[in-house]
Amino acid sequence: MTRLRERRWFPLVWLIPAALVLLALLVLAARWLRETPGWLDFAASFPGTTELPADTPVGFPAWLGWQHFLNSFFLLFIVRSALLIRGRQRPPAFVTRRNDGLIRTKGAPRRLSVHVWWHLVVDTVWVLNGVVYVVLLFATGQWVRVVPLGWDVIPNAVTAGVHYLSLDWPAHEGWVHYNALQLLSYFATVFLAGPLALLTGLRLSPVWKHEWRVNRLLTESLARSLHFAVLVYFIAFTIVHVGLVLTTGALRNLNTMYAGRNDDSWIGALVFAGSLVVMLVAWVVLRVPVQKKIALLGGTVR
Ligand code: HEM
Ligand code: HEM
């Protein structure tokens, strides 16, 4: 039995050193590439950052810092409830909405596992937060920092990518503009992953009607796979994103997003630490017993 288990794990154990060797080879290749004359010409034309219009706002307004914090805060509980739903264990309680509150529907409300109900509650505030963010982005002109304005973003992202790979981080000036790879990944997160989570999540939720014709295209199993892929994306993005924030000038980066200032003081790091404490306390408090109390405000709990 143990030998069988060992044999099953054997190839997986080799994946880690194999990935490290591959990564080391890629780093060497990127370093070699950067010495070649062809690359020097390419990088002179596409330095890794696209031009922004002259009137682009500089710096991070306070609302952006709040919005960004609330996004991480809500995502924490979305991911926690998502993993509990996926765990497929018998839920500790079920919630049925009373049809006499703010939300009233023609059909009778469906009984939901407390995890799905909580997931939907946090999703609602997360989506509202996202909508406010996008409206403010466009109202203040900040959108040009996170939306590609031309195809030259692709070759510029190649330059930035080769710089990252050679472990010599590309020029980084988040206060003024993002490099092309940051821009593409923030764009994908806000304008592709977010809406895809919403669309596929609604498809799996009670608001979606079985008789809609689009269901032949967006089947439940396709929606479930895409919804799960979004989870994997958000987790991978967050690991790489926070990893780079902390390794490319942590104090300055944390200052820009968490304190709205562009210097190397410790203020942003302290605010960030405070935000982690808030998340930790909420993680401990907002467990099933408290969720049940909240559910009782608008429904029955069994
Ligand atoms: C909690 C840990 C996090 C930290 C410390 C952090 C830090 C930062 C910092 C410093 C910036 C400015 C970028 C720069 O100058 O390079 C930024 C931007 C951004 N972050 Fe995070 N982040 C965190 C979590 C997340 C999560 C979970 C998401 C989404 C899944 C996210 C999405 C974004 C986006 C979309 C931007 C660009 C925002 C804009 O300029 O409009 N971040 N983050
Ligand atoms: C944007 C609004 C969202 C809505 C309306 C939504 C809706 C739902 C619903 C209704 C379910 C339960 C499906 C069932 O009964 O089996 C669910 C499960 C799930 N959600 Fe969401 N969700 C949203 C956002 C997210 C986000 C942002 C993530 C990832 C970060 C996520 C990850 C998951 C996962 C992994 C499951 C388990 C799916 C499975 O059983 O295979 N959801 N979601």
Side-chain angles (χ1 to χ4, degrees):
M1 182 71 194
T2 341
R3 288 197 62 193
L4 218 146
R5 201 176 290 152
E6 269 168 17
R7 214 181 287 161
R8 199 141 47 97
W9 282 103
F10 183 75
L12 278 180
V13 169
W14 276 99
L15 270 182
I16 298 165
L20 285 176
V21 170
L22 184 68
L23 201 65
L25 287 176
L26 283 174
V27 171
L28 287 177
R31 294 208 161 179
W32 166 80
L33 181 68
R34 285 184 59 184
E35 302 295 323
T36 58
W39 175 262
L40 293 176
D41 283 347
F42 181 81
S45 314
F46 304 106
T49 308
T50 49
E51 290 272 328
L52 286 179
D55 55 354
T56 304
V58 169
F60 289 63
W63 62 262
L64 183 59
W66 275 104
Q67 222 92 53
H68 177 267
F69 160 69
L70 288 172
N71 169 66
S72 311
F73 181 86
F74 296 138
L75 262 180
L76 182 68
F77 296 97
I78 293 181
V79 170
R80 185 197 215 179
S81 51
L83 294 177
L84 286 168
I85 300 170
R86 244 189 116 71
R88 303 261 183 274
Q89 295 201 333
R90 191 179 158 74
F94 290 88
V95 178
T96 314
R97 182 171 53 81
R98 269 197 312 273
N99 212 0
D100 58 3
L102 270 178
I103 308 169
R104 289 173 200 215
T105 48
K106 252 195 267 162
R110 224 192 280 168
R111 190 180 80 131
L112 299 174
S113 99
V114 68
H115 301 317
V116 172
W117 171 81
W118 182 242
H119 189 70
L120 289 172
V121 169
V122 189
D123 291 337
T124 310
V125 272
W126 181 70
V127 169
L128 282 176
N129 184 59
V131 169
V132 172
Y133 164 67
V134 172
V135 168
L136 286 173
L137 268 188
F138 284 94
T140 58
Q142 287 272 350
W143 66 275
V144 291
R145 293 160 53 99
V146 284
V147 177
L149 299 176
W151 287 108
D152 60 331
V153 71
I154 308 270
N156 274 303
V158 172
T159 306
V162 168
H163 275 249
Y164 279 118
L165 251 187
S166 63
L167 300 185
D168 167 21
W169 306 135
H172 177 81
E173 239 191 316
W175 189 251
V176 183
H177 53 197
Y178 296 132
N179 69 47
L181 211 55
Q182 280 177 305
L183 191 150
L184 281 180
S185 68
Y186 295 153
F187 174 76
T189 306
V190 176
F191 294 100
L192 302 178
L196 189 63
L198 177 60
L199 174 72
T200 53
L202 287 176
R203 171 69 178 90
L204 298 176
S205 80
V207 302
W208 203 273
K209 299 279 175 286
H210 288 297
E211 59 273 17
W212 286 349
R213 283 183 65 189
V214 64
N215 291 351
R216 260 184 280 165
L217 215 63
L218 184 59
T219 59
E220 188 175 326
S221 71
L222 175 63
R224 199 174 290 282
S225 308
L226 288 173
H227 203 63
F228 181 65
V230 174
L231 173 90
V232 174
Y233 173 80
F234 272 119
I235 293 179
F237 168 83
T238 306
I239 294 173
V240 174
H241 174 57
V242 179
L244 286 173
V245 163
L246 298 181
T247 51
T248 58
L251 289 183
R252 184 168 291 255
N253 290 338
L254 291 174
N255 265 331
T256 58
M257 190 46 102
Y258 284 83
R261 51 196 294 145
N262 188 27
D263 58 36
D264 291 325
S265 67
W266 278 82
I267 299 173
L270 281 175
V271 178
F272 173 58
S275 81
L276 289 183
V277 172
V278 171
M279 286 161 95
L280 195 76
V281 170
W283 175 274
V284 174
V285 173
L286 294 176
R287 280 185 293 189
V288 171
V290 173
Q291 291 169 19
K292 283 189 347 198
K293 282 193 186 135
I294 301 174
L296 277 173
L297 298 175
T300 50
V301 180
R302 290 257 147 71

